[in-house]
């Protein structure tokens, strides 16, 4: 009885050894390749030698019928039949060739590029058909974009696991109302999204909503579509950036959100390497107060994207000379009134417009300085489409002579800022219909709201006669 039990135990152990040892070897080899390790050759006794040794411990001579026999009476081994390992190798070669044909046909990859990609150690599956179909149809990647992604980021694409990618893509599409083309744009701008997990993305979007203040889907869409790599930041990075802008710089939630919507890439700038040095320069070198700096960033966050050495410093020196600014407070006033002066082209914008105003109005150096300290916003207007038509209108229709135009613009520079079609013409024409001459009216009436302007006109009907008959 004991002998039969021992025999059955030996037979069971031997069967398990034959069944699982090759599988374990295959798993270790495959796993070492996926981890980027060198493939080790598992040198040692063969499976038969291991089984024989194992069998001898259980009972001498009990393994003979499982070994290839030399007895002539036994059936000879059919050497023409492939071993299981050989069959697996042939099957893998077939699947590899099918994958290569898919890459060549669907993406127009060369054979060498396809072979390189398929030999990548991080490749999880040779099933290229389903992967290519999903990336093309569900993520919206065009043939050329997917081909470029495979060539430029083979590791990312090779390690794509559709069971992980699909929930992430569906979540982003649902939460941000992304179309296939928008999803494609996000993936092209940030290929690492192929390896993001849904739960991680969910936590980041929740943080952007609750802590940053991007509560509206439209806000989230704008920020993510503009800067998809934001999704790659960890929550600790989010927290450090938000803490700096809100606590150190002093932006409240509303101003911080406005800054992100105007210039989303600022969230991607390094606080220590980019943002802090820029702020320190404007505080220490230019002379802005902390309160002015906060207001400047909230109003024109583009200021943080300008290079100090190649942009800000040279521009400040040039406009000091061009505008004849004499004091430190002068440059502070110009920058706070019109921050665009820092990043507008000096040669193509600031210098030509300043020279046009100087010659057209016959301004002295001091008058140029006074104009720029009062209304530097005129430099943001088009010379051909805005400044020239307005000055012509004042001379030809309003009938200012050149000296009157010069004096009125110096006294009220906003004459050049108001819209010609929406503000200046309608009011001049309304006054003319009432027999009023605009040239004799207070110049600040152009700054009135429509309601205030109508009330002013009603008051003048019986109290003031500014008529063309006079």
């Amino acid at each position: 009885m004991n002998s039969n039990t021992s025999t059955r135990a030996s037979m069971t152990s031997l069967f398990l050894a034959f069944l699982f040892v090759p599988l374990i070897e295959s798993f270790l080899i495959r796993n070492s390749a996926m981890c980027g390790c060198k493939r080790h050759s598992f040198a040692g006794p063969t499976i038969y030698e291991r089984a024989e040794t194992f069998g001898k411990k259980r009972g001498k001579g009990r393994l003979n019928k499982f070994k290839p026999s030399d007895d002539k009476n036994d059936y000879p081994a059919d050497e023409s039949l492939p071993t299981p390992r050989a069959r697996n190798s042939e099957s893998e070669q077939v699947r590899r060739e099918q994958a290569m044909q898919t890459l060549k046909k669907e993406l127009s990859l060369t054979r060498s590029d396809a072979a390189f990609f398929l030999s990548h150690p991080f490749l999880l599956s040779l099933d290229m058909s389903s992967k290519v179909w999903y990336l093309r149809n569900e993520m919206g990647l065009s043939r050329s974009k997917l081909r470029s992604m495979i060539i430029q980021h083979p590791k990312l694409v090779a390690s794509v696991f559709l069971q992980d990618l699909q929930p992430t893509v569906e979540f982003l599409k649902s939460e941000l109302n992304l179309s296939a083309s928008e999803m494609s744009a996000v993936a092209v701008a940030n290929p690492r999204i192929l390896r993001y997990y849904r739960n991680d993305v969910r936590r980041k979007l929740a943080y952007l909503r609750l802590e940053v203040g991007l509560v509206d889907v439209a806000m989230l869409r704008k920020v993510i579509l503009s800067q998809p790599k934001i999704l790659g930041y960890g929550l600790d990075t989010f927290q450090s950036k938000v803490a700096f802008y809100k606590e150190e710089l002093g932006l409240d939630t509303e101003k911080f959100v406005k800054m992100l919507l105007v210039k989303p890439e600022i969230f991607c700038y390094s606080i220590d390497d980019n943002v802090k040095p820029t702020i320190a320069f404007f505080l220490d070198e230019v002379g802005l107060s902390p309160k002015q700096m906060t207001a400047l960033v909230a109003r024109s966050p583009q200021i943080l994207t300008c290079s100090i050495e190649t942009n800000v410093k040279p521009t400040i020196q040039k406009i000091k000379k061009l505008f004849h600014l004499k004091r430190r407070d002068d440059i502070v006033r110009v920058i706070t009134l019109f921050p665009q002066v820092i990043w507008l082209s000096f040669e193509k914008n600031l210098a030509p417009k300043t020279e046009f105003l100087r010659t057209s109005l016959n301004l002295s150096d001091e008058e140029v300085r006074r104009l720029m300290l009062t209304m530097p916003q005129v430099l943001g207007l088009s010379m051909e489409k805005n400044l020239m038509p307005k000055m012509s209108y004042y001379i030809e229709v309003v009938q200012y002579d050149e000296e009157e135009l010069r004096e009125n613009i110096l006294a009220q520079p906003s004459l050049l800022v108001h819209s010609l079609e929406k503000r200046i013409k309608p009011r001049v024409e309304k006054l003319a219909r009432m027999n009023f001459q605009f040239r004799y009216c207070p110049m600040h009436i152009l700054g009135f709201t429509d309601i205030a302007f109508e009330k002013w006109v009603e008051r003048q009907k019986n109290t003031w006669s500014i008529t063309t008959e006079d």
Side-chain angles (χ1 to χ4, degrees):
M1 185 71 176
N2 292 336
S3 175
N4 291 337
T5 302
S6 176
T7 301
R8 284 196 297 270
S10 298
M11 293 288 292
T12 301
S13 300
L14 181 61
F15 174 75
L16 293 175
F18 269 96
L19 179 62
F20 287 110
V21 170
L23 294 177
I24 293 172
E25 283 186 0
S26 176
F27 171 77
L28 291 174
I29 292 172
R30 186 181 297 272
N31 197 43
S32 66
M34 289 174 60
C35 296
C37 306
K38 293 183 179 179
R39 176 173 286 191
H40 297 286
S41 58
F42 293 88
T46 65
I47 181 63
Y48 287 113
E49 291 171 343
R50 295 177 198 168
E52 183 177 10
T53 302
F54 179 78
K56 285 179 179 179
K57 292 179 180 179
R58 294 289 184 180
K60 187 175 181 180
R62 292 176 181 169
L63 199 61
N64 291 338
K65 58 183 177 181
F66 294 99
K67 292 178 58 178
S69 175
D70 293 332
D71 193 337
K72 295 180 181 180
N73 295 325
D74 289 340
Y75 291 104
D78 188 351
E79 297 180 358
S80 64
L81 294 176
T83 63
R85 188 172 297 230
R87 285 196 298 271
N88 290 337
S89 177
E90 290 175 4
S91 176
E92 182 175 347
Q93 288 300 323
V94 171
R95 288 185 287 114
R96 187 175 296 275
E97 185 62 30
Q98 290 173 346
M100 184 172 294
Q101 293 302 322
T102 298
L103 293 175
K104 290 171 63 179
K105 179 181 178 182
E106 298 295 330
L107 305 180
S108 300
L109 278 176
T110 64
R111 188 173 184 85
S112 60
D113 287 337
F116 176 79
F117 176 71
L118 293 175
S119 63
H120 200 283
F122 279 82
L123 188 67
L124 297 179
S125 170
L126 288 173
D127 182 12
M128 288 295 107
S129 297
S130 57
K131 182 180 289 189
V132 169
W133 184 91
Y134 185 83
L135 295 175
R136 287 286 310 278
N137 292 276
E138 295 298 322
M139 291 196 66
L141 291 170
S142 65
R143 174 181 294 186
S144 60
K145 289 178 180 178
L146 182 53
R147 180 172 63 247
S148 299
M149 193 176 290
I150 286 177
I151 294 173
Q152 296 172 12
H153 307 282
K155 178 179 176 180
L156 279 174
V157 183
S159 59
V160 167
F161 193 51
L162 290 183
Q163 282 81 349
D164 292 333
L165 178 61
Q166 288 171 341
T168 304
V169 171
E170 295 306 316
F171 175 75
L172 281 173
K173 282 184 174 182
S174 174
E175 288 294 305
L176 303 179
N177 296 327
L178 298 180
S179 63
S181 60
E182 289 171 334
M183 191 68 234
S184 170
V186 170
V188 170
N190 182 18
R192 292 184 179 277
I193 201 171
L194 298 177
R195 298 294 297 137
Y196 293 166
Y197 294 100
R198 179 180 59 184
N199 289 339
D200 291 338
V201 174
R202 179 187 287 115
R203 283 193 291 269
K204 292 170 185 178
L205 291 185
Y207 186 89
L208 290 173
R209 283 195 182 100
L210 301 177
E211 301 298 327
V212 176
L214 300 173
V215 294
D216 188 50
V217 174
M219 295 178 179
L220 270 176
R221 273 177 52 85
K222 183 173 183 178
V223 172
I224 298 301
L225 288 174
S226 175
Q227 296 296 317
K229 62 182 179 181
I230 286 178
L231 292 174
Y233 293 145
L235 290 180
D236 55 341
T237 303
F238 280 0
Q239 291 167 354
S240 64
K241 289 178 181 289
V242 172
F244 171 79
Y245 285 110
K246 288 190 174 182
E247 297 172 12
E248 295 189 38
L249 192 56
L251 296 175
D252 58 27
T253 298
E254 182 181 354
K255 291 178 179 178
F256 183 52
V257 169
K258 180 181 177 182
M259 182 192 76
L260 285 181
L261 294 177
V262 172
K263 209 70 176 172
E265 59 265 37
I266 287 178
F267 202 74
C268 302
Y269 276 52
S270 168
I271 298 296
D272 294 326
D273 297 337
N274 300 107
V275 179
K276 284 185 177 180
T278 301
I279 292 175
F281 175 81
F282 280 99
L283 293 176
D284 302 334
E285 302 296 327
V286 179
L288 272 70
S289 67
K291 186 176 181 180
Q292 288 173 324
M293 190 69 225
T294 300
L296 180 63
V297 171
R299 177 184 172 191
S300 300
Q302 298 93 326
I303 203 81
L304 296 179
T305 67
C306 298
S307 168
I308 297 297
E309 298 300 327
T310 62
N311 189 301
V312 179
K313 283 185 178 180
T315 299
I316 288 178
Q317 293 303 318
K318 290 176 182 178
I319 63 176
K320 280 182 178 180
K321 184 177 179 180
L322 180 66
F323 301 162
H324 305 281
L325 304 179
K326 302 174 182 179
R327 300 178 301 171
R328 196 182 195 191
D329 290 346
D330 289 348
I331 190 65
V332 170
R333 180 173 175 81
V334 170
I335 290 175
T336 53
L337 286 176
F338 188 59
Q340 293 91 326
V341 75
I342 294 296
W343 61 83
L344 288 176
S345 170
F346 183 84
E347 289 75 15
K348 296 180 180 180
N349 195 311
L350 302 181
K353 289 177 183 177
T354 303
E355 187 60 27
F356 168 76
L357 292 170
R358 179 197 299 276
T359 56
S360 299
L361 301 174
N362 194 24
L363 302 177
S364 65
D365 291 348
E366 179 59 28
E367 288 169 337
V368 169
R369 174 179 174 273
R370 189 165 46 143
L371 178 62
M372 293 306 160
L373 289 177
T374 307
M375 191 65 67
Q377 293 90 332
V378 296
L379 298 175
L381 304 175
S382 168
M383 198 159 57
E384 294 77 12
K385 298 179 180 180
N386 207 310
L387 294 176
M388 288 181 178
K390 287 176 185 175
M391 294 175 74
S392 298
Y393 184 82
Y394 286 128
I395 291 175
E396 296 171 5
V397 178
V398 179
Q399 297 184 342
Y400 286 150
D401 59 32
E402 292 184 358
E403 184 60 26
E404 283 180 314
L405 180 62
R406 174 179 172 278
E407 292 177 356
N408 287 335
I409 288 178
L410 284 174
Q412 194 75 28
S414 60
L415 289 172
L416 294 175
V417 176
H418 295 302
S419 169
L420 179 60
E421 299 297 330
K422 297 180 180 179
R423 177 67 62 89
I424 300 172
K425 279 186 178 182
R427 296 192 177 181
V428 170
E429 292 170 358
K430 181 177 180 63
L431 291 171
R433 288 194 299 270
M434 300 178 65
N435 214 23
F436 284 6
Q437 285 191 352
F438 177 81
R439 60 182 298 186
Y440 298 126
C441 295
M443 291 173 292
H444 64 271
I445 63 171
L446 287 179
F448 288 169
T449 63
D450 290 338
I451 295 176
F453 177 72
E454 293 296 334
K455 290 181 179 179
W456 179 87
V457 170
E458 289 298 322
R459 287 197 302 268
Q460 308 312 311
K461 284 182 179 180
N462 299 319
T463 61
W464 195 22
S465 95
I466 308 176
T467 67
T468 56
E469 296 176 357
D470 294 339

